[in-house]
Amino acid sequence: MSDTTDREAIQTIALIRAAEDWSKQYQQDPETHAALLKNEAKWTLAMIRFFKKMANEMDRYISWGNYHLQVNADFNVDVIVRDEYLDPYSDDFIKISVEYVVGMVVAGAQSGENLYGINLGIDSTDAIIRKLSLDRVAALVGKRVEPDGSIIDNPKAEYSITKTMRQDIAESIKTSLALRETNEEAKARINKVIKNPKRAERIARTESVNAYQTGVTEFGFQSGAVGKVWQTVGTTDVCADYAKLGPVPFDYLYGDKLQGPTAHPGCRCGRRLIYQAEWDKLKK
C-alpha cells in the first residue's frame, strides 16, 4: 500500500471505531481517545499485514510432503506443522506491535493527567511505560519478560495468539485431510483461515483498550488513587455486574483477576478513579 492509501485506511478504521459506544472515560477526554483510535487503526492494519505474511510463507512451517502422506493415514497433524519454523512469528509479533501498544499505554496514562488535573509528565520514553507495554505484548504470545529484559516462554500463560493460530491451522489441516483435499486445496483453506481480517480486528479492538487501561492503572498508582468505579456502555453482560459494585478499592480485582477493562473481546468500558477526599466521603 502507498502512504496515501495507508492514511486513508487508518482514518476509515478510526472513524468506524469512534462511532462505537464508548464509556464516559473516553468521551470526557477526546484528545487521548483520538490517540487510542489512531493507534488501534494502525495496529489493525499492521496485524492484517502480519497475518497475510504468515499465510504467504506457510511453506516454511508446513510440511506438504508429510501432508500428502497423511491423506490416507491417521491425521497426525504434528508431523505436518513444524513448530520450530512457526515459533519465530511470536518474535515478529512483538517487534511489530510494541510501539503501537506504547502509544496506547501512554494515551491511557495521559488521560488520567487530563481528567484529574495531575501532571506526572508521563510519555513514551518513560522506562515503566515501555516495560508495561513490552510485558503486555509478550503476554499476548504466551511469553514473559525477565528482569534482565530477555523474553522467554511463559509456562503459565492463559492465552497466546500464536498458540491459537497453530490450533486454527491444525483444524484447517484436519478438515482438508478428512475431505482428501489436494495440497493446493489445503493451502487455499489455510490461507483463508490465517488471513481472515476479523482476527486482526479482534486483536486490535480488544488489546488496544487493555493497553490504554494499563496506562490508566499506572497513572492511578503513581497519582495515589485509592478507589475506582467500573464504567459500562449500557450493557447487560458481566461488565454490568462490575459496574453495580460501585466504588471499590483501587487494587480490587474484578472477577478475582481484572484491574479494569477489558472483560471480554471488544469491550469499550472504562474506569473512574477515586482519590482520598472523595473516598472518605463515600465511606461515611
Side-chain angles (χ1 to χ4, degrees), residues 80-118:
I80 300 173
V81 182
R82 298 180 292 191
D83 283 341
E84 68 272 24
Y85 295 105
L86 191 58
D87 287 345
Y89 287 99
S90 294
D91 296 331
D92 291 345
F93 178 91
I94 293 172
K95 292 175 183 176
I96 290 168
S97 301
V98 69
E99 289 306 319
Y100 300 118
V101 173
V102 166
M104 290 177 284
V105 173
V106 168
Q110 290 179 344
S111 76
E113 294 182 329
N114 295 342
L115 291 173
Y116 302 99
I118 303 173

Side-chain angles (χ1 to χ4, degrees), residues 7-141:
R7 285 195 296 271
E8 291 174 348
I10 290 166
Q11 184 178 27
T12 299
I13 294 170
L15 286 172
I16 292 171
R17 297 290 175 260
E20 297 173 354
D21 291 331
W22 292 83
S23 77
K24 289 181 180 178
Q25 179 187 8
Y26 307 95
Q27 298 168 7
Q28 290 171 343
D29 189 19
E31 179 183 349
T32 58
H33 190 205
L36 167 63
L37 292 170
K38 186 175 182 179
N39 273 284
E40 181 181 322
K42 287 181 176 180
W43 197 17
T44 300
L45 201 59
M47 287 293 92
I48 289 173
R49 289 174 173 165
F50 171 74
F51 290 121
K52 182 178 180 180
K53 182 174 183 287
M54 280 192 71
N56 292 341
E57 295 176 350
M58 72 174 75
D59 287 347
R60 292 177 55 187
Y61 53 84
I62 294 178
S63 174
W64 292 109
N66 283 330
Y67 172 83
H68 178 72
L69 294 174
Q70 288 292 310
V71 169
N72 296 305
D74 299 322
F75 297 5
N76 186 355
V77 176
D78 290 337
V79 302
I80 300 173
V81 182
R82 298 180 292 191
D83 283 341
E84 68 272 24
Y85 295 105
L86 191 58
D87 287 345
Y89 287 99
S90 294
D91 296 331
D92 291 345
F93 178 91
I94 293 172
K95 292 175 183 176
I96 290 168
S97 301
V98 69
E99 289 306 319
Y100 300 118
V101 173
V102 166
M104 290 177 284
V105 173
V106 168
Q110 290 179 344
S111 76
E113 294 182 329
N114 295 342
L115 291 173
Y116 302 99
I118 303 173
N119 185 11
L120 300 177
I122 294 173
D123 63 34
S124 61
T125 64
D126 289 358
I128 185 61
I129 293 296
R130 302 200 71 83
K131 181 183 184 304
L132 288 169
S133 302
L134 185 56
D135 286 346
R136 185 72 221 164
V137 176
L140 292 176
V141 288

Side-chain angles (χ1 to χ4, degrees), residues 6 32 44 53 75 84-85 112 117 158 166 169 190 199 210 212 218-219 244 248 251 257 265 269 277:
D6 277 1
T32 58
T44 300
K53 182 174 183 287
F75 297 5
E84 68 272 24
Y85 295 105
E158 294 184 6
R166 190 196 186 286
I169 291 171
I190 294 174
R199 184 190 306 276
N210 278 330
Y212 187 95
E218 181 58 24
F219 167 80
K244 287 177 183 176
V248 296
D251 59 358
K257 62 179 181 179
C269 291

Side-chain angles (χ1 to χ4, degrees), residues 9 44 131 146 162 194 217 234 244 260 267 272:
T44 300
K131 181 183 184 304
E146 294 288 88
T162 44
I194 296 175
T217 297
K244 287 177 183 176
C267 181
R272 185 176 70 81

